[in-house]
Amino acid sequence: MWIRSAMTYRTSFVVTVFGNLAVTGLDFVGILLMFSQVDSLGGWTLPEIAFLYGLSVTSFGIADLVLGSMDVLGSRIRDGSFDILLVRPAPVLAQIGADHFALRRLGRITQGAVVLVWALTAVDVDWSVAKVLLVPVMVVSGAVIFSAVFVAGAAFQIYAQDASEVQNAFTYGGTTLLQYPPAVFGKDFVRGVTFMLPLAFVNWVPASYVLGRPYPLELPGWVAFVSPLVAVGCCALAGLAWRAGLGSYRSTGS
Amino acid sequence: MGSGRLYAAVAAGGFRRYATYRAATLAGVFTNTVFGVILVYTYLALWDEKPHLGGYDQAQAVTYVWLGQCLYSTLAIQGGGAEKDLMDRIRTGEIAVDLYRPADLQLWWLASDLGRSMFQLIGRGVIPFAFGALFFPMALPTDVMSWAALLVALFLAMLVSFGIRYLAALSAFWLMDGQGISQAVMILGIFCSGMVLPLNAFPGVFGDIVRVLPWAAQLQMPADVLMGRTDPLGAYAFQAVWAVVLLAAGRLLQSAATRRVVVQGG
């Protein structure tokens, strides 16, 4: 229904997709601006950072396409219309995903994919079968990890009600963070996003293997391949948080 | 005198309206702080690679980041202030009610937006800035005069910011749907205000151009005034000229718009 409603105004749809492309592309323009002044950042070259960027934005874009409507949750709780979702005979999470489902978010995925493809042709890598296979695995597990963050954030919103911006810090903040090499950040910070909120497994760790860079925190070699496991773990935890959130939900009564 | 009180009351209303959402304010403080930390690390890496980029040393670059996070919602750099409500009122036709009020449309919205800015500065801006000053080396002046100079620059920045967004909002009289314009406001705001990179680090002719656009009055000027990198009077003149130009253009567009207003029936 949301797709059909968006398609009713075709020009407007095309314009918003392009607008979306431009908005999300700003980050990359920022990176290009930085590289107009320097040759490397934290020891990484532009194609290498573009590789990180493409992976992070594509994964995030997929998660955002499926679950990005989570920010609507806060206002639905506030105005009481969340109750309607609860009484319908369909999983609440699927309904929220479909709520205001916006195909314009394809703009972000497109932009991430374009940068990723360029990066793949530009990086100086000795490609092996394992490395080639790892790229799609990274995109998919990254999307799953980001989705788990969205769901956990939604669960938090049920408690906090009017705090959808906290979620932005982890979702948008997370994808921004992963666009830069881990060497840029402080050690404790990297530890936090590796062990507490395992965003490092979206791209930092597996991309270090592909590019032949030292792993963040001197992790052992095999961790480059655990991203799918981390993704499954994140989903389990997010699922638990979501159930706990739903269980504690009290309607505003309006 | 009576009208002065009216607009003061409107401004106070704008302030109170945003002050009501305490959880949202806290959430915003948290988000700005997280983004500030990420940006500071990337800037430090960049300035490590190229010291004195744009004439800033590392402490000045860090100060710039935190001032940016402090002013992000204060100046509605990516939009989302009074212009959003105004666009809605134009689209739904409620603007007709506003036009009947015995108050000036532009001044009314300016007062309301200034109230919002003040709240965002105090409620949302100060804490991330203080956090930055506590945990990262910053180039902060110790004399009261520099801080007073900053406040003047901030006030002028608020006027310029409103001027840009008011023009954008009025375009809804012709376009009806504000989405495209809001997107343009967002892109230009983030990019040309220097949220991505300080404007003085932009290269070549491109840099020369963004530094004379009105967006430069929003973050670049206050930052340089605070750090004593520019003559405050020159900065004020730059900001004031843009404020006058934008507000006058807003006035012109407003009179053109209200002459052709066709109220949407619901």
Side-chain angles (χ1 to χ4, degrees):
Chain A
M1 181 184 77
W2 288 106
I3 296 176
R4 219 183 311 150
S5 87
M7 285 306 176
T8 313
Y9 303 98
R10 246 167 249 273
T11 339
S12 171
F13 174 74
V14 172
V15 170
T16 43
V17 169
F18 274 103
N20 232 263
L21 245 162
V23 172
T24 54
L26 272 187
D27 298 338
F28 194 64
V29 175
I31 292 174
L32 288 178
L33 260 182
M34 290 181 179
F35 274 91
S36 73
Q37 306 278 8
V38 296
D39 297 324
S40 69
L41 200 63
W44 293 47
T45 62
L46 179 58
E48 290 173 322
I49 286 182
F51 185 56
L52 287 182
Y53 178 93
L55 287 168
S56 164
V57 172
T58 313
S59 295
F60 180 73
I62 296 171
D64 184 48
L65 180 70
V66 181
L67 290 167
S69 306
M70 288 298 173
D71 355 353
V72 192
L73 189 70
S75 54
R76 276 206 175 263
I77 289 170
R78 235 173 305 136
D79 67 17
S81 62
F82 187 59
D83 295 19
I84 301 169
L85 305 185
L86 290 176
V87 297
R88 281 194 197 137
V92 181
L93 207 53
Q95 291 185 54
I96 297 174
D99 194 9
H100 292 275
F101 182 79
L103 221 45
R104 65 181 147 76
R105 300 203 190 103
L106 283 174
R108 190 189 298 276
I109 300 178
T110 315
Q111 191 259 337
V114 167
V115 174
L116 180 59
V117 168
W118 175 74
L120 285 174
T121 59
V123 283
D124 185 19
V125 169
D126 222 357
W127 289 101
S128 65
V129 179
K131 285 180 181 179
V132 172
L133 287 179
L134 200 52
V135 174
V137 170
M138 270 193 266
V139 172
V140 173
S141 0
V144 175
I145 292 173
F146 273 125
S147 301
V149 176
F150 270 112
V151 172
F156 175 74
Q157 275 190 62
I158 297 181
Y159 288 110
Q161 308 212 340
D162 194 12
S164 61
E165 274 215 61
V166 170
Q167 192 174 352
N168 291 349
F170 292 106
T171 50
Y172 291 92
T175 178
T176 308
L177 171 82
L178 295 178
Q179 292 164 13
Y180 298 95
V184 162
F185 299 96
K187 249 221 168 99
D188 288 327
F189 198 82
V190 176
R191 246 178 233 132
V193 289
T194 307
F195 300 117
M196 283 168 63
L197 183 70
L199 291 174
F201 293 94
V202 171
N203 63 359
W204 277 356
V205 178
S208 298
Y209 169 76
V210 171
L211 299 176
R213 289 264 166 198
Y215 286 15
L217 309 173
E218 286 134 31
L219 292 165
W222 51 269
V223 293
F225 301 95
V226 303
S227 291
L229 287 178
V230 172
V232 170
C234 287
C235 279
L237 287 176
L240 284 178
W242 175 248
R243 284 190 167 211
L246 268 193
S248 75
Y249 173 68
R250 268 188 282 160
S251 170
T252 51
S254 53
Chain B
M1 195 56 231
S3 72
R5 266 226 302 279
L6 167 71
Y7 297 117
V10 173
F15 186 96
R16 261 204 308 277
R17 179 180 153 201
Y18 283 85
T20 318
Y21 301 107
R22 271 183 231 139
T25 304
L26 276 179
V29 165
F30 179 74
T31 306
N32 282 119
T33 310
V34 169
F35 269 93
V37 171
I38 295 173
L39 262 181
V40 160
Y41 279 127
T42 57
Y43 276 28
L44 286 176
L46 186 62
W47 261 262
D48 250 351
E49 214 67 55
K50 188 162 182 173
H52 299 289
L53 174 60
Y56 282 166
D57 60 26
Q58 290 207 336
Q60 286 172 321
V62 172
T63 311
Y64 182 91
V65 168
W66 290 107
L67 190 66
Q69 291 305 314
C70 168
L71 297 184
Y72 191 57
S73 50
T74 303
L75 299 177
I77 281 178
Q78 66 158 17
E83 88 284 1
K84 210 173 124 234
D85 303 330
L86 181 52
M87 276 178 191
D88 273 346
R89 291 186 79 81
I90 295 172
R91 193 174 47 80
T92 57
E94 284 163 331
I95 191 75
V97 182
D98 300 348
L99 290 171
Y100 269 115
R101 288 204 181 112
D104 183 82
L105 193 69
Q106 191 184 31
L107 273 177
W108 174 285
W109 285 102
L110 173 61
S112 151
D113 197 53
L114 283 179
R116 181 201 59 79
S117 287
M118 291 294 180
F119 173 73
Q120 300 285 36
L121 179 63
I122 298 165
R124 222 178 128 161
V126 170
I127 296 175
F129 192 80
F131 175 91
L134 211 61
F135 291 100
F136 296 91
M138 276 172 45
L140 296 176
T142 46
D143 60 313
V144 184
M145 278 317 285
S146 305
W147 290 96
L150 173 69
L151 288 182
V152 177
L154 282 186
F155 176 70
L156 289 167
M158 286 176 193
L159 292 182
V160 172
S161 157
F162 172 78
I164 295 171
R165 288 177 290 117
Y166 191 68
L167 280 174
L170 288 179
S171 72
F173 271 113
W174 286 271
L175 302 173
M176 294 331 259
D177 180 41
Q179 222 175 20
I181 291 292
S182 298
Q183 228 157 30
V185 165
M186 187 172 180
I187 296 170
L188 289 168
I190 293 175
F191 198 69
C192 300
S193 296
M195 285 301 295
V196 179
L197 201 65
L199 297 180
N200 50 20
F202 277 45
V205 185
F206 189 42
D208 295 336
I209 294 171
V210 285
R211 282 190 287 270
V212 295
L213 295 178
W215 287 275
Q218 296 187 55
L219 174 55
Q220 191 65 54
M221 290 292 161
D224 284 342
V225 166
L226 176 69
M227 295 187 278
R229 291 202 3 114
T230 179
D231 168 34
L233 292 180
Y236 297 163
F238 177 83
Q239 293 179 301
V241 166
W242 272 120
V244 169
V245 168
L246 289 164
L247 292 173
R251 206 135 261 277
L252 264 167
L253 199 64
Q254 173 189 325
S255 67
T258 50
R259 253 183 280 120
R260 76 174 293 282
V261 66
V262 177
V263 173
Q264 295 239 88

